[in-house]
Amino acid sequence: MSNIRNIFITAANWTDQSEIATARLGTRFGRMDLSSQLALLAVEPLAEHFKSLPADRVALVINTRTGSLSTDVAYWAGHDLAGGLSPTLFIYTLPSSTIGELAIRHKITGPSLCQVGEGRDLIGAGADLLQADEADAVICVDVEVVSAALTALIKLPEAATARALLLQGNGPGEREWNQNDRDINQVFATLREQNLKK
């Protein structure tokens, strides 16, 4: 049983596609799919809060509403091109590839979880890892990418955003987490009100 008494939201950040053009996150960044790029940009400001922790005690919990469908559609569109299907895009045709990119960038070796859907329990899943003593910090990332090509197929509006927050047990923290804070949409609405963007 964990000795976690309280869980805190230590840091939070959100980003959108407009920040990609000016991002300077190494040579790999330009080759990544949009979901991975957005997740890295959202997590980058949080790194100062977890980089001193043991790599195997930092967990990643990712949620993506549409999985890798935007990348899948772009990949499949290549079958009619002269060069054929893109091996560069192929590695991003799994929703969990974003976890791999975050783990590589920050040398994280702790537990990871990838969810596909609305993400209403993303933060709760992260809190569960802390309470089970599987991690000392959990990076929770919600990524939504709906490309124009995907919009034509599934009738969702275009989107390219990512939100990330860091959970830690027993503080210190900016805001104490409670069991009602399981929906990332509600949590970020509150964080915006409190001007917690880092």
Side-chain angles (χ1 to χ4, degrees):
M1 185 73 180
S2 170
N3 63 357
I4 298 289
R5 293 180 305 280
N6 301 74
I7 294 174
F8 288 87
I9 298 172
T10 306
N13 188 45
W14 50 91
T15 191
D16 61 29
Q17 191 169 2
S18 67
E19 296 184 31
I20 289 177
T22 58
R24 301 292 176 255
L25 296 178
T27 56
R28 291 177 55 84
F29 186 77
R31 292 178 276 176
M32 293 178 193
D33 70 327
L34 185 55
S35 291
S36 296
Q37 289 176 328
L38 289 166
L40 262 66
L41 285 173
V43 170
E44 198 65 19
L46 280 56
E48 67 183 81
H49 299 281
F50 64 79
K51 67 182 175 186
S52 63
L53 297 173
D56 65 339
R57 297 293 297 169
V58 177
L60 291 164
V61 179
I62 307 291
N63 184 78
T64 173
R65 182 176 176 194
T66 58
S68 60
L69 284 177
S70 289
T71 304
D72 297 346
V73 168
Y75 174 73
W76 186 245
H79 82 283
D80 288 333
L81 300 176
L85 299 171
S86 166
T88 304
L89 276 181
F90 176 73
I91 62 172
Y92 296 104
T93 58
L94 291 173
S96 59
S97 59
T98 298
I99 288 175
E101 293 295 354
L102 285 166
I104 290 167
R105 169 89 179 152
H106 297 289
K107 299 174 178 53
I108 295 169
T109 60
S112 63
L113 172 66
C114 180
Q115 303 176 150
V116 176
E118 294 295 323
R120 298 205 197 292
D121 198 34
L122 171 67
I123 301 170
D128 290 346
L129 289 171
L130 289 171
Q131 291 170 331
D133 197 28
E134 293 186 35
D136 296 328
V138 180
I139 302 163
C140 298
V141 183
D142 182 65
V143 180
E144 184 168 1
V145 173
V146 181
S147 65
L150 182 58
T151 294
L153 296 173
I154 64 172
K155 308 301 183 223
L156 284 176
E158 285 186 54
T161 61
R163 298 171 293 182
L165 57 82
L166 182 67
L167 297 178
Q168 289 183 277
N170 297 335
E174 295 287 338
R175 179 176 184 274
E176 189 170 353
W177 176 85
N178 66 59
Q179 289 291 332
N180 296 326
D181 288 339
R182 299 181 86 79
D183 184 341
I184 195 162
N185 298 313
Q186 292 174 349
V187 170
F188 265 86
T190 302
L191 293 175
R192 281 190 186 107
E193 289 172 13
Q194 297 173 350
N195 196 24
L196 258 181
K197 183 172 180 180
K198 300 291 184 196

